[in-house]
Amino acid sequence: GAVVSQHPSRVICKSGTSVKIECRSLDFQATTMFWYRQFPKQSLMLMATSNEGSKATYEQGVEKDKFLINHASLTLSTLTVTSAHPEDSSFYICSAQQGSEKLFFGSGTQLSVL
Amino acid sequence: RKEVEQDPGPFNVPEGATVAFNCTYSNSASQSFFWYRQDCRKEPKLLMSVYSSGNEDGRFTAQLNRASQYISLLIRDSKLSDSATYLCVVTPSGGYNKLIFGAGTRLAVHP
């Protein structure tokens, strides 16, 4: 079964609203979680790396005030897309890792902003 | 220049065909290399790690050429279920941290 649960799988929202995506590790403690974004026919691009209990490290070009990441526990990280706009429409996917072990991906969230 | 470059395809092949994908990476310090498979709007799934000595897993063979910064994947006896996008992935340091993905090569296997 899935070891990383991501929710919701799909969300459609109006421009200007905020959307929260959850990523949970189900049977292990995820010391590190990664958030990726994928536009159609493009590669998965790393947005940020979050370690439990500390601030996320954002990749160059990713606005930290727009994409809020919280990793308050060892099993949960959230990504909030604030004031979403149509250009934020994308496939968002998380991955979780315990220490230096193999990492596991969530099933992804397709965000459509109208 | 992109960190990981792949031919986007699509590669359209009949069942039973052998198909090869190539990938180049720009960072010579890259430490770990993988091939992932991604179905449309699904999470990527690890297909296999890639080693300099080359490695094989059933119908799949992967090769790494560090001198040329080149990675390949060979699929023999293609099945319909092999239809997917194949992602070349590298890490800037050892282990599974911070994966850098190529844009993927799309494979379509037809009857």
Side-chain angles (χ1 to χ4, degrees), chain A residues 13-19 81-86 113-114:
Chain A
C13 69
K14 292 182 179 180
S15 185
T17 60
S18 293
V19 175
V81 183
T82 61
S83 187
H85 290 283
V113 185
L114 305 178

Side-chain angles (χ1 to χ4, degrees), chain A residues 34 36 38 40 43 46 59 93 97 103 105-107 110, chain B residues 36 38 41-44 46 96-99 101-103:
Chain A
F34 302 89
Y36 291 84
Q38 186 179 33
S43 58
L46 180 65
E59 295 298 302
I93 192 164
Q97 184 176 25
L103 62 80
F105 283 89
S107 55
Q110 182 63 50
Chain B
Y36 275 74
Q38 185 180 27
R41 284 299 172 251
K42 301 281 187 183
E43 74 273 24
L46 179 63
Y96 286 89
N97 281 333
K98 200 170 178 177
L99 302 180
F101 286 84

Side-chain angles (χ1 to χ4, degrees), chain A residues 23-88:
Chain A
C23 182
R24 293 181 184 272
S25 56
L26 299 181
D27 55 4
F28 67 98
Q29 293 184 326
T31 47
T32 307
M33 285 191 175
F34 302 89
W35 287 96
Y36 291 84
R37 178 170 54 181
Q38 186 179 33
F39 292 108
K41 297 186 178 180
Q42 295 187 25
S43 58
L44 280 81
M45 296 298 296
L46 180 65
M47 299 174 68
T49 302
S50 74
N51 294 296
E52 185 266 339
S54 61
K55 289 184 179 180
T57 302
Y58 289 82
E59 295 298 302
Q60 193 172 14
V62 178
E63 299 174 60
K64 62 180 181 181
D65 294 330
K66 181 167 182 65
F67 299 99
L68 302 179
I69 292 172
N70 185 288
H71 191 167
S73 79
L74 284 170
T75 59
L76 174 65
S77 177
T78 61
L79 167 67
T80 301
V81 183
T82 61
S83 187
H85 290 283
E87 59 265 30
D88 299 323

